[in-house]
Amino acid sequence: MSGLLGGRTCSAPEEASNLKYPLGTRLREPLTEARFQQLFGGPEQELELPAEPRLPRLCRLWRGQASTCSGSGAWRLLLARLPPLRWLPLYRWRAWLLGDAVAGVTVGVVHVPQGMAFALLTSVPPVFGLYTSFFPVLIYSLLGTGRHLSTGTFAVLSLMTGSAVERLVPEPVAGNLSGIEREQLDAQRVGVAAAVAFGSGVLMLGMFALQLGVLSTFLSEPVVKALTSGAALHVLVSQLPSLLGLSLPRQIGCFSLFKTLAAVLTALPRSSPAELTISALSLALLVPVKELNVRFRDRLPTPIPGEVVMVLLASVLCFTSSLDTRYNVQVVGLLPGGFPQPLLPNMAELPRILADSLPIALVTFAVSTSLASIYADKYSYTIDPNQELLAHGVSNLVSSLFSCFPNSATLATTSLLVDAGGNTQLAGLFSSIVVLSVLLWLGPFFYYLPKAVLACINISSMRQMFFQMQELPQLWQMSRMDFAVWMVTWVAVVTLNVDLGLAVGVVFSMMTVVCRTQRVQCLALGLAEGTELYRPLRESHKLLQVPGLCILSYPTPLYFGTRGQFRHILEWHLGFGERGKDSPKPDGLSDTVAEPVKVVILDLSGVTFADAAGAKEVAQLASRCQDAGIHLLLAQCNASVLETLTRAGLLDRVTPEQLFVSVQDAAAHALERLVRGSSIRRGSQGLLG
């Protein structure tokens, strides 16, 4: 209670004696901003020095940055940019090496069929999926900070890239291309896919240079999960022609999912019985194996490689039965050995693919960072979002030189790596060795692999994304607003496409934040009986309210979008406007007002920032209070907000003695002012007991 009254003797002792002082009559003086600066010192002297020329200051800043790059500073920079220099000296070889080797080989074996499957989703030949499963994995092992993260081909990115490829290099309407024409078409599509990877890598490196790792916070968890779930439905529908053995042009643009469904239903009588049988048998094997791996992950030493078993069985069956020649079953064909020559993507394509590279870069960063954060929290280590930008940017940029399409962290292989016992990024090295062996020596064994099996692998890999919808009931109970963000994003992705759906989801998510600031409740505070705490009046009836004193807490940023609401609330509380029947009463106001307001305390502790419009609104409020004879006190205003208010001319209307570091000190000053002004008479003893 000592913060309620000031330590100075009241000018009206006969009135002050009527008040109850629970802690005695010797009370401290209210602590204003000016008093605080006097007791504890003002701001640092550097802030008071005259402004220096901008050029010398920048030169000293650059000189300081350059000095950090010498000696120990250069070593720290190298440690930050090459994470293996930090974790490799601490590597526990006996405890971790076997787990990393087993996990890396397991993931590498899965990378082979999935890489070829996602290459078809990208509308490029299957071998380029193997390239994308090799180079990015190797580069991320050197630059990434996610110890349990597995990178490579990702269905969502493959779908987004495939849409760009089909739009820029469409399939000829005539069809029935010759071998040379097919090679030329594939080469053009590979060039576009590599250009998209190059563009997304450049964008992520630009974000790293600007230290924009914080942008990952704008892609909230509901947006990312709804995006991946909606994209999984697109993947399922896009693979239906391959499952049924139908040669249909790929639909792109808005409502492509429904267009594909309509085309499949129309062409259903022309489906191939042989490929339909292969698809049914493949799904009958893959889906139960996936379920067994999930249910018995703790009992199995390593997950069952269902994709590898399916690839081997289907290849043997197609070879022995000559399904490709007898029933016209589409097979993968010859996979060229070795690696393509490094080739810079066609720079003329970059302006056309920039609109596609931006959402791909954002999705890559959002999915990879969120997935790395999940396992970093689980295993008690930290990741660097800006270093993740560098790792994925370099990964996409360098791999695009080898005709790779965009890549990122993958949900399925990351979970597989953790379940198989992976501990560090060294598992990526073993995974790359497996893919390398396929590229150099084992490629011919996949000649007779039916493409329908790759479509089944695409569909079965979407299992986790489909099951994310099971979280919706829990999300509804936790936050209706997040549930709305999830549903709006999912509907936009399904009905429009992945790119526009992502944009709609991000915009809607940001709009919900704006709407929440618009619906904030300004609270009228009262003193909790027997304490020095001020609580909202609506919370309890055991709160004390001094006649003529109004304490308001405004817990939201004060900017152009909330200035009108701020003005309306303050006018209502202070009686500046008409309180008619049609005027809505703000929340938190007492139903009865004993007398007109003489002193108002505005608690600004919840105002995290204020723009020019909001600062001018506070300055105008101070001017109106001065004209109306109301004493305005500001409490708990942070330094940045106070600086903005000062630049808006607030100190021309209020004195530093009207700025307080706490509501308690402001209330003490206000009560003393009311006592001196004879605002509290006899009978006020019961207010402060």
Side-chain angles (χ1 to χ4, degrees), residues 418-436:
V418 174
D419 294 340
N423 298 289
T424 65
Q425 296 93 318
L426 193 62
L429 179 61
F430 293 98
S431 176
S432 300
I433 293 175
V434 174
V435 180
L436 178 64

Side-chain angles (χ1 to χ4, degrees), residues 610-633:
D611 66 354
K616 290 179 181 178
E617 198 65 44
V618 176
Q620 292 175 5
L621 170 68
S623 179
R624 297 180 67 181
C625 288
Q626 190 176 21
D627 296 339
I630 298 176
H631 191 56
L632 174 65
L633 306 177

Side-chain angles (χ1 to χ4, degrees), residues 205-223:
L205 289 179
M207 293 166 63
F208 164 74
L210 298 175
Q211 297 291 287
L212 296 181
V214 70
L215 288 180
S216 61
T217 58
F218 290 97
L219 291 174
S220 62
E221 183 178 352
V223 172

Side-chain angles (χ1 to χ4, degrees), residues 161-431:
T161 307
S163 299
V165 170
E166 292 284 348
R167 188 185 75 251
L168 298 176
V169 188
E171 185 85 17
V173 180
N176 297 325
L177 300 177
S178 63
I180 298 178
E181 292 174 340
R182 172 59 61 182
E183 290 180 1
Q184 293 176 350
L185 180 66
D186 289 341
Q188 293 178 4
R189 290 185 166 184
V190 169
V192 171
V196 173
F198 184 88
S200 61
V202 170
L203 288 174
M204 282 187 280
L205 289 179
M207 293 166 63
F208 164 74
L210 298 175
Q211 297 291 287
L212 296 181
V214 70
L215 288 180
S216 61
T217 58
F218 290 97
L219 291 174
S220 62
E221 183 178 352
V223 172
V224 174
K225 289 189 174 182
L227 173 72
T228 53
S229 296
L233 190 58
H234 277 278
V235 172
L236 172 62
V237 174
S238 67
Q239 296 304 294
L240 288 179
S242 298
L243 292 178
L244 301 174
L246 298 173
S247 297
L248 298 176
R250 185 167 178 173
Q251 302 292 334
I252 60 175
C254 298
F255 310 107
S256 59
L257 185 144
F258 306 103
K259 295 177 183 178
T260 303
L261 280 177
V264 169
L265 292 177
T266 303
L268 194 59
R270 304 198 308 268
S271 58
S272 171
E275 294 193 276
L276 183 58
T277 303
I278 293 174
S279 302
L281 293 176
S282 300
L283 290 176
L285 174 65
L286 290 174
V287 174
V289 169
K290 291 279 188 182
E291 192 66 26
L292 288 175
N293 286 335
V294 172
R295 292 195 177 187
F296 300 100
R297 66 172 60 185
D298 297 331
R299 302 181 184 180
L300 294 173
T302 58
I304 303 173
E307 292 90 346
V308 178
V309 174
M310 191 66 249
V311 166
L312 295 177
L313 290 178
S315 299
V316 171
L317 177 63
C318 184
F319 173 73
T320 56
S321 304
S322 301
L323 297 179
D324 56 330
T325 57
R326 295 173 59 185
Y327 299 101
N328 198 26
V329 173
Q330 299 181 14
V331 296
V332 170
L334 180 64
L335 296 179
F339 298 101
Q341 293 183 354
L343 180 65
L344 188 67
N346 187 5
M347 295 293 105
E349 298 287 347
L350 292 181
R352 295 201 298 166
I353 55 88
L354 186 60
D356 301 288
S357 298
L358 180 58
I360 286 176
L362 294 177
V363 172
T364 299
F365 178 55
V367 172
S368 301
T369 305
S370 60
L371 195 58
S373 300
I374 291 174
Y375 288 99
D377 295 339
K378 183 177 180 180
Y379 292 98
S380 302
Y381 62 93
T382 58
I383 65 167
D384 183 359
N386 288 310
Q387 180 66 20
E388 290 295 299
L389 274 173
L390 175 65
H392 291 288
V394 172
S395 176
N396 279 274
L397 183 64
V398 174
S399 61
S400 69
L401 304 180
F402 295 91
S403 303
C404 298
F405 50 85
N407 62 87
S408 73
T410 62
L411 304 177
T413 56
T414 298
S415 177
L416 181 62
L417 185 143
V418 174
D419 294 340
N423 298 289
T424 65
Q425 296 93 318
L426 193 62
L429 179 61
F430 293 98
S431 176

